[in-house]
Amino acid sequence: MIEVFKTNVQEMEQSKMIVMKLLEHFPNSVITFDLEDCDKILRIHSGSISNQRIIEVVNSYGYDCEVLL
């Protein structure tokens, strides 16, 4: 299962920190950012994904996150 999110993360260091925090909640996932994309894409490939939990984690660090449709 792959989910794609739009964020407002700008810096590589920010994205690395968020990936580490998300991996604590979704340990067997592949999580990447595409900061070159205009939507600052967060992509998560995992067996089980909770969109709401992902959004909550990203929001808790002060960043916007929404499912990209």
Side-chain angles (χ1 to χ4, degrees):
M1 174 179 251
I2 298 175
E3 287 290 344
V4 180
F5 300 85
K6 175 181 177 179
T7 75
N8 66 340
V9 174
Q10 300 292 322
E11 304 293 329
M12 184 64 71
E13 290 304 314
Q14 297 166 333
S15 68
K16 288 179 183 177
M17 181 270 299
I18 291 170
V19 167
M20 287 178 53
K21 297 301 180 182
L22 286 169
L23 283 170
E24 292 175 10
H25 297 275
F26 305 96
N28 296 317
S29 303
V30 176
I31 304 173
T32 59
F33 271 92
D34 181 358
L35 300 180
E36 299 297 317
D37 188 278
C38 64
D39 289 325
K40 310 301 181 193
I41 298 295
L42 166 62
R43 185 174 290 110
I44 301 181
H45 183 205
S46 181
S48 64
I49 296 176
S50 167
N51 289 350
Q52 188 58 40
R53 186 69 188 127
I54 291 163
I55 291 168
E56 287 172 3
V57 170
V58 175
N59 288 169
S60 74
Y61 292 95
Y63 299 102
D64 297 330
C65 182
E66 61 187 70
V67 175
L68 190 64
L69 303 174

